[in-house]
Amino acid sequence: MAVPIFIDCDPGHDDMMAIMLAVAHPQLELIGISTVAGNQTGERTFDNAGRILTLLNRTDIPLARGADAPLCRKLVTAPAFHGTSGLDGAELPSSAVPERAESAIALMARAILENPGPVVLVPTGPLTNVAMALRAHPEIADSIERIVLMGGGVFDSNTTPAAEFNIFVDPEAAAAVFAGGVPITMVGLDATNKAVLDYDQIAQIEAMGGPVSRVVAPLMRFFSGANEELFGINGAPIHDALAVAAVVAPDLLVTQDVYVAVETQGDLTRGQTVADLYGITGLAPNASVALGVDRGRFIAMMIDAIRRLDETVVA
Ligand code: BDR
Ligand code: CA
């Protein structure tokens, strides 16, 4: 039976890859999507999610717009990586997703509670909506099997020398989620910076020439260009898609169960995910932290998903 997942995201190039994998993978059922401000403004990330679902002919998947700003800070966006649209490089159709009165938090709670069994929650943006949903509807915690989130890093960072973008943008929300008692898999930069779609693989996608691959190839060229320029990475690290992949194939990751706390105060360390690798605090682990990835198997899964979408989406 397919695993029901709910994605909370801020599309974003790699968020788009995460949604595509969730839609295409036969062992996953995407029961809803909420958007949050992060890579771009709340307005843009919501519109981008609508465009993605329209491209994929899946406007039936419930989509709701969430927080426009972090819990108690000013929004920081990431135009250097995702452009002014949030999805620069891609030519996407206008969103044909029907308007919905329900907020992201209401949709997230309802989708989780109405599902007959536990749901895996996959946040791929700042954790604002997730923290708000857990606070407003604490009863959902029992119906969430696990939170598999993209964020943080034990040794690696990308926004300050100490912090990864999603956690940096809303550290208070992240701190609440890590302290919230729901089991967490932290798919952070130690794994996702190695989950790279290289230039040959982008060319391979381009050569597929289908309705989805035609959009994905230039999108990934833009994203790899930004990552090469800023971090010297040879290709596109598709961070968020790895979190979705880890739901169906947890053994793609090398993990360690540890206690993780999020720094909210430090001038230099705001948004750092402080991981107690050696059990120094004596506190029980609250997260399974990804430290490595089987890149070959993950990228094969992603390319297979794009192939499936090319076959199922009508051009
Ligand atoms: C994360 O930050 C965003 O820019 C990406 O979409 C990803 O979720 C990587 O640090
Ligand atoms: Ca993201």
Side-chain angles (χ1 to χ4, degrees):
M1 224 179 67
V3 180
I5 69 170
F6 188 102
I7 294 184
D8 181 71
C9 58
D10 62 338
H13 293 68
D14 51 332
D15 300 81
M16 175 161 164
M17 301 295 265
I19 293 171
M20 286 173 24
L21 182 56
V23 166
H25 201 290
Q27 281 159 260
L28 291 172
E29 184 198 357
L30 182 55
I31 63 167
I33 300 177
S34 52
T35 59
V36 64
N39 285 325
Q40 261 303 341
T41 61
E43 191 180 353
R44 293 211 175 114
T45 57
F46 175 66
D47 184 55
N48 287 344
R51 288 165 177 266
I52 294 165
L53 290 180
T54 305
L55 171 75
L56 303 179
N57 279 338
R58 290 305 308 272
T59 54
D60 57 302
I61 295 173
L63 168 69
R65 176 172 168 177
D68 283 343
L71 292 183
C72 53
R73 292 176 187 266
K74 273 181 76 174
L75 177 64
V76 176
T77 59
F81 289 97
H82 301 278
T84 48
S85 70
L87 282 176
D88 275 20
E91 271 196 44
L92 288 162
S94 301
S95 174
V97 172
E99 281 214 14
R100 162 180 299 272
E102 208 173 21
S103 71
I105 284 143
L107 172 65
M108 190 187 290
R110 188 174 59 76
I112 290 169
L113 293 172
E114 282 180 0
N115 197 71
V119 170
V120 178
L121 180 58
V122 184
T124 63
L127 288 160
T128 321
N129 289 338
V130 178
M132 288 170 78
L134 286 167
R135 190 165 59 191
H137 304 277
E139 69 279 14
I140 65 174
D142 287 341
S143 300
I144 301 172
E145 185 181 311
R146 175 166 281 275
I147 296 175
V148 182
L149 64 89
M150 192 284 133
V154 177
F155 302 105
D156 213 347
S157 61
N158 64 2
T159 300
T160 69
E164 178 278 333
F165 180 77
N166 290 337
I167 309 295
F168 177 80
V169 172
D170 198 343
E172 285 76 16
V177 171
F178 275 88
V182 179
I184 290 175
T185 300
M186 181 180 112
V187 185
L189 294 172
D190 306 293
T192 69
N193 261 342
K194 298 177 197 124
V196 172
L197 200 58
D198 67 26
Y199 295 113
D200 287 348
Q201 288 155 341
I202 296 173
Q204 189 188 332
I205 292 169
E206 195 153 49
M208 285 157 66
V212 174
S213 47
R214 267 204 300 267
V215 177
V216 167
L219 183 83
M220 288 298 109
R221 283 204 193 290
F222 180 93
F223 198 46
S224 52
N227 275 284
E228 175 151 21
E229 198 180 314
L230 291 154
F231 291 127
I233 295 175
N234 286 318
I238 43 176
H239 311 279
D240 296 339
L242 184 59
V244 170
V247 176
V248 271
D251 61 341
L252 282 176
L253 304 176
V254 178
T255 58
Q256 187 174 336
D257 289 352
V258 295
Y259 174 74
V260 176
V262 177
E263 175 60 78
T264 58
Q265 304 294 326
D267 288 342
L268 299 174
T269 52
R270 158 187 169 185
Q272 182 171 15
T273 44
V274 180
D276 185 7
L277 288 180
Y278 302 106
I280 290 165
T281 62
L283 295 165
N286 59 351
S288 177
V289 168
L291 296 171
V293 59
D294 182 339
R295 173 182 172 267
R297 201 149 65 85
F298 164 61
I299 296 296
M301 186 191 281
M302 192 67 235
I303 291 179
D304 193 49
I306 297 168
R307 192 169 291 119
R308 272 172 209 275
L309 291 170
D310 268 347
E311 285 163 7
T312 51
V313 165
V314 183

